[in-house]
């Protein structure tokens, strides 16, 4: 009996102890840590879903879309969620492969992070960002994924906007493309990190990059209640996304199409042509109406991730490096189109505007004869005729005389370098400042440049002067290269007489971009003011409300008086009718639209000549400046001038409907209806 009471007492004590412990624990849970567990419970029942903003469109000057959005069903994979599955996502990818009809290997390649030794396709964005693996899923595929979420953890199928390019390859380098934001970019660009949703794409190259912040908009957010299986059962909170602004450009889609066709035809007609560019500017404002580069590519290849072979093709010299814009990045010797700068240098050096000059078949520069085209002498002429007929020897002589006045091979302490400095005043040797990334600066090879280049290359040249070029199978070329290396080793830092002569006619080491040449001609034929060209014209909200306009800044003034400027312009006005481009414009209705300009044929060692034509129209009151360049295209009048003629025929409707009825660029921003469509 006593033993039983002892057992009952122990049992009572044990029960009471358990009740006390349970009570204390309940007190801790309900009172001490109650709010913490409430928060945790809430978090486990909600999911935050980021809603990307609709990216703004890129429109032409009349409101036509150059880049627009198309809704598509996009299937994405969350790598983090896959990694949490028991088999690391292998079974999920097998099931997804069966639904999409895409091999598991390709799915793995698309979601793997890019890095050293990992080639495309791979994921360049944040590791915490869902990776799109299919940009054009159909409804059946999306429903299979959404209705069986338990079989597809980490896989989503959502309607998203995908970039569409109505013009195909037209202006691809100018427009740019989109790619995922990398972790490095988020750390580097504070503004991007604050506005980044985790699912947005960032602009890469072109207008997409320059105006990325305006186009991107602000992402929205939905806090969704889910059950234990992860299925949505309600929306707890929602912040709607704010669509990005639309960018209105000065590009005219019709003129762009005309320029693209003309450039393609010019390259087709030049068997060895390996690249080209065409630029059309508003002569009065220097706004860009068309910017074509060939070869081009379809920017839609970036959607959903580009393959390794596709990416290599865009950068491969064998395919012509279509990712590179030759209009702003291509640097070429300009040939005689450069003489507008050289004749200005002559005027600044004191040569008389109305003087007469001898144009012999050749002229001795130092101990070397520099020839006219085909060595033909043209007699005595004024500067007007020198531009129309493109006499070289007049410019050789002036450049050599100025070279000697600067001290020749033993220069003065502060040489004037009138030809080089005049070229800089025309905007050559520095970027134009256009609203596109990565523009090249060209090159003005003066005495300072020669010294800098010698410092960088003398070691290689001196070594080659000893060893020669045994790898070059052509012995004549190998011997030439060895002599050149020996000469550059000994005195490569000296500006030689021949350098000055070549410079005066746009040959030798001088390099310009097609856009630089176009804006110089726009300044020359309009008002003498050098402007920084612009493509962006205005930003508008999706409903058409104006947000901001972009002005074209004046950045310099040509070193010419008004009388001198008009003298040069009038000379150029005869080139297409009576000068070096007369053959290319034979039969063109000059009585309706008179074309002015300058041909250029630049020699390139081991290749065909670079073909140039820089022009303006109409000559009495220029509204357009058109420049065409074809690498390895031959003579300027042979390839580039016919391309420019075709562009003018398209603009003015000489052989069909006019791209610009009335022959004037669009001067007013388009008007929009309340729904954001262009009001007609």
């Amino acid at each position: 009996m006593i033993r039983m009471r002892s057992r009952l007492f122990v049992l009572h004590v044990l029960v009471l102890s358990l009740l006390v412990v349970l009570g204390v624990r309940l007190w801790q849970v309900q009172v001490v840590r109650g709010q913490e567990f409430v928060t945790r419970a809430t978090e486990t029942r909600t999911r935050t879903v980021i809603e990307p903003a609709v990216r703004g469109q890129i429109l032409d000057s009349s409101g036509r879309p150059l880049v627009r959005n198309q809704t598509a069903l996009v299937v994405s994979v969350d790598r983090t969620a896959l990694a949490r599955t028991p088999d690391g996502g292998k079974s999920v990818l097998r099931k997804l492969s069966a639904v999409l009809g895409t091999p598991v290997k390709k799915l793995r390649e698309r979601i793997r992070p890019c890095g050293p030794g990992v080639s495309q396709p791979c994921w360049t964005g944040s590791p915490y960002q869902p990776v799109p693996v299919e940009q054009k899923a159909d409804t059946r595929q999306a429903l299979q994924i959404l209705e069986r979420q338990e079989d597809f953890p980490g896989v989503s199928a959502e309607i998203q906007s995908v970039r569409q390019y109505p013009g195909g390859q037209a202006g691809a380098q100018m427009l740019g493309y989109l790619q995922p934001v990398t972790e490095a970019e988020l750390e580097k660009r504070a503004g991007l990190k604050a506005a980044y949703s985790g699912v947005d794409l960032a602009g890469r190259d072109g207008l997409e990059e320059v105006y990325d912040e305006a186009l991107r908009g602000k992402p929205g957010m939905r806090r969704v209640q889910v059950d234990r299986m992860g299925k949505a059962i309600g929306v707890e909170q929602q912040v709607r996304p704010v669509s990005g602004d639309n960018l209105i450009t000065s590009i005219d889609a019709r003129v762009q199409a005309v320029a693209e066709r003309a450039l393609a035809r010019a390259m087709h007609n030049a068997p060895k042509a390996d690249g080209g560019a065409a630029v059309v500017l508003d002569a009065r404002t220097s706004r860009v109406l068309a910017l074509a580069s060939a070869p081009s590519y379809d920017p839609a290849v970036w959607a959903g991730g580009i393959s390794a072979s596709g990416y290599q093709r865009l950068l491969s010299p064998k395919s012509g490096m279509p990712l590179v814009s030759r209009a702003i990045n291509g640097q070429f010797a300009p040939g005689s189109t450069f003489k507008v700068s050289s004749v200005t240098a002559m005027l600044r050096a004191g040569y008389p505007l109305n003087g007469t000059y001898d144009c012999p078949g050749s002229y001795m520069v130092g101990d070397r004869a520099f020839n006219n085209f085909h060595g033909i002498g043209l007699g005595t002429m004024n500067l007007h005729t020198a531009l129309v007929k493109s006499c070289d020897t007049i410019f050789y002589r002036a450049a050599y005389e100025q070279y000697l006045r600067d001290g020749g091979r033993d220069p003065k302490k502060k040489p004037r370098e009138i030809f080089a400095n005049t070229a800089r005043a025309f905007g050559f040797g520095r970027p134009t400042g256009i609203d596109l990334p990565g523009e090249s600066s060209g090159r003005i090879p003066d005495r300072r440049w020669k010294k800098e280049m010698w410092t960088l290359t003398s070691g290689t040249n001196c070594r080659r002067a000893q060893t020669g070029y045994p790898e070059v199978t052509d012995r004549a070329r190998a011997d030439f290269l060895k002599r050149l290396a020996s000469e550059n080793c000994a005195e490569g830092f000296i500006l030689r007489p021949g350098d000055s002569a070549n410079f005066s006619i746009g040959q030798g080491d001088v390099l310009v971009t097609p856009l630089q040449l176009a804006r110089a001609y726009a300044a020359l034929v309009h008002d003498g003011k050098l402007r920084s060209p612009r493509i962006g014209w205005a930003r508008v909200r999706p409903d058409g409300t104006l947000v901001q306009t972009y002005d074209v800044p004046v950045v310099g003034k040509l070193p010419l008086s008004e009388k001198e400027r008009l003298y040069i312009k009038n000379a150029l006005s005869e080139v297409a009718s009576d000068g070096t481009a007369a053959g290319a414009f034979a039969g063109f209705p000059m009585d309706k639209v008179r074309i002015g300009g300058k041909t250029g044929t630049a020699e390139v060692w081991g290749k065909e000549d670079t073909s140039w034509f820089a022009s303006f129209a109409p000559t009495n009151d220029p509204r357009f400046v058109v420049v065409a360049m074809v690498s390895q295209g031959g003579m300027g009048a042979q390839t580039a001038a016919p391309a420019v003629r075709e562009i003018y025929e398209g603009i003015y409707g000489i052989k069909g409907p006019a791209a610009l009825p009335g022959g004037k660029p669009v001067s007013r921003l388009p008007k929009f209806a309340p729904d954001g469509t262009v009001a007609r």
Side-chain angles (χ1 to χ4, degrees), residues 503-524:
F503 185 97
S504 70
I505 62 163
Q507 294 277 183
D509 293 317
V510 60
L511 299 175
V512 307
T513 69
L515 182 63
Q516 286 177 330
L517 194 64
R519 75 129 169 203
Y521 271 68
L524 179 67

Side-chain angles (χ1 to χ4, degrees), residues 1-272:
M1 192 69 173
I2 294 174
R3 186 178 297 174
M4 184 176 292
R5 287 178 178 175
S6 298
R7 290 177 178 176
L8 287 174
F9 177 76
V10 171
L11 183 61
H12 287 163
V13 171
L14 181 62
V15 170
L16 287 173
S17 298
L18 290 173
L19 288 173
V20 170
V21 171
L22 180 61
V24 171
R25 183 60 180 159
L26 285 173
W27 179 74
Q28 287 179 328
V29 170
Q30 295 290 338
V31 179
V32 178
R33 303 181 64 188
Q35 187 58 47
E36 177 186 346
F37 287 116
V38 167
T39 302
R40 287 189 181 183
T42 303
E43 288 177 349
T44 58
R45 291 189 294 107
T46 62
R47 296 287 186 273
T48 298
V49 179
I50 299 297
E51 295 186 63
V54 175
R55 193 172 178 88
Q57 300 182 85
I58 300 177
L59 309 174
D60 86 341
S61 56
S62 297
R64 304 180 192 89
L66 300 173
V67 183
R68 64 188 175 195
N69 298 308
Q70 181 182 37
T71 56
L73 277 168
V74 179
V75 176
S76 302
V77 173
D78 186 336
R79 295 174 59 250
T80 304
L82 281 189
R84 289 198 294 261
T85 60
D87 62 354
K90 293 180 180 179
S91 61
V92 175
L93 289 180
R94 282 198 299 271
K95 294 173 185 176
L96 186 60
S97 171
V99 171
L100 299 179
T102 303
V104 173
K105 180 182 178 182
K106 286 192 175 182
L107 292 176
R108 288 192 177 280
E109 288 177 343
R110 290 178 184 175
I111 66 175
R112 64 183 177 176
C114 292
V118 179
S119 60
Q120 295 280 356
C122 58
W123 180 242
T124 60
S126 167
Y128 306 107
Q129 178 182 351
V131 182
V133 294
E134 177 56 63
Q135 295 270 4
K136 297 179 181 179
D138 58 38
T139 305
R140 180 186 62 81
Q141 292 170 329
L143 288 175
Q144 283 184 274
I145 294 169
L146 294 174
E147 291 177 352
R148 296 160 47 203
Q149 275 289 283
E150 63 276 10
D151 291 337
F152 296 97
V155 181
S156 61
E158 297 177 327
I159 294 178
Q160 295 181 14
S161 61
V162 178
R163 287 310 231 189
Q164 187 184 46
Y165 305 88
Q169 297 186 7
Q173 302 90 346
M174 169 187 67
L175 296 173
Y177 56 94
L178 303 179
Q179 283 286 276
V181 180
T182 64
E183 287 291 297
E185 285 178 308
L186 289 178
E187 295 300 325
K188 186 177 180 180
R189 296 166 60 184
L192 179 61
K193 189 171 186 178
Y196 180 58
S197 70
V199 294
D200 291 320
L201 300 176
R204 291 284 190 275
D205 206 10
L207 297 173
E208 292 276 25
E209 178 178 334
V210 173
Y211 294 98
D212 181 64
E213 185 176 349
L215 292 167
R216 191 185 323 119
K218 297 180 180 179
M221 179 272 290
R222 280 185 299 132
R223 193 176 294 277
V224 183
Q225 295 178 338
V226 297
D227 61 16
R228 64 184 183 84
M229 298 298 294
K231 292 184 177 180
I233 58 176
V235 179
E236 186 176 279
Q237 181 185 4
Q238 183 168 10
V239 177
R240 295 191 177 278
V242 178
S243 297
D245 294 336
N246 294 330
L247 175 67
I248 301 174
T249 70
S250 56
I251 298 296
D252 189 288
R254 298 165 300 184
V255 177
Q256 181 73 34
V258 168
E260 297 279 355
R261 288 194 298 269
L263 184 60
R265 195 185 318 276
M267 290 188 61
H268 176 75
N269 293 337
K272 294 186 178 181

Side-chain angles (χ1 to χ4, degrees), residues 387-422:
L387 289 171
V388 175
K389 302 300 182 183
S390 203
C391 172
D392 290 338
T393 49
I394 287 176
F395 296 96
Y396 292 150
R397 177 173 181 169
Y400 182 47
E401 288 175 347
Q402 294 308 305
Y403 170 82
L404 294 176
R405 288 182 184 178
D406 281 343
R409 298 172 65 90
D410 185 18
K412 298 176 181 178
K413 188 174 182 180
K414 292 184 179 180
R416 193 176 179 190
E417 295 194 285
I418 190 68
F419 277 78
N421 288 328
T422 300

Side-chain angles (χ1 to χ4, degrees), residues 261-453:
R261 288 194 298 269
L263 184 60
R265 195 185 318 276
M267 290 188 61
H268 176 75
N269 293 337
K272 294 186 178 181
D274 57 8
V279 180
V280 183
L281 297 185
D282 182 328
R284 295 183 179 179
T285 66
S286 288
R287 289 195 181 278
V288 182
L289 305 181
L291 199 70
S293 176
S296 190
Y297 73 98
D298 186 353
V301 300
W302 297 100
I306 190 170
S307 66
S309 60
Y311 185 69
Q312 289 301 320
R313 190 189 73 82
L314 294 181
L315 294 174
S316 171
K318 291 184 179 180
S319 57
M321 297 186 291
L323 192 61
V324 177
S325 170
R326 284 166 171 79
I328 68 168
N329 296 119
Q331 302 180 99
F332 305 88
S336 291
T337 61
F338 194 69
K339 287 176 180 174
V340 295
S341 171
S342 295
V343 75
T344 303
M346 289 178 63
L347 297 176
R348 297 286 67 75
Y351 293 86
L353 179 65
N354 296 309
T356 56
Y357 303 86
D358 188 30
C359 179
S362 67
Y363 180 77
M364 291 298 296
V365 177
D367 57 358
R368 176 185 167 191
F370 278 71
N371 298 323
N372 238 348
F373 184 67
H374 289 325
I376 300 173
L378 301 177
T380 301
M381 62 182 63
N382 56 22
L383 293 177
H384 179 108
T385 306
L387 289 171
V388 175
K389 302 300 182 183
S390 203
C391 172
D392 290 338
T393 49
I394 287 176
F395 296 96
Y396 292 150
R397 177 173 181 169
Y400 182 47
E401 288 175 347
Q402 294 308 305
Y403 170 82
L404 294 176
R405 288 182 184 178
D406 281 343
R409 298 172 65 90
D410 185 18
K412 298 176 181 178
K413 188 174 182 180
K414 292 184 179 180
R416 193 176 179 190
E417 295 194 285
I418 190 68
F419 277 78
N421 288 328
T422 300
R424 291 192 183 90
F426 269 75
F428 300 120
R430 68 175 188 271
T432 67
I434 189 175
D435 49 344
L436 290 175
E439 182 188 9
S440 298
S441 60
R443 183 168 69 202
I444 298 300
D446 57 7
R447 296 176 188 275
R448 178 179 177 181
W449 176 83
K450 291 286 288 187
K451 291 179 180 179
E452 291 174 349
M453 283 301 297

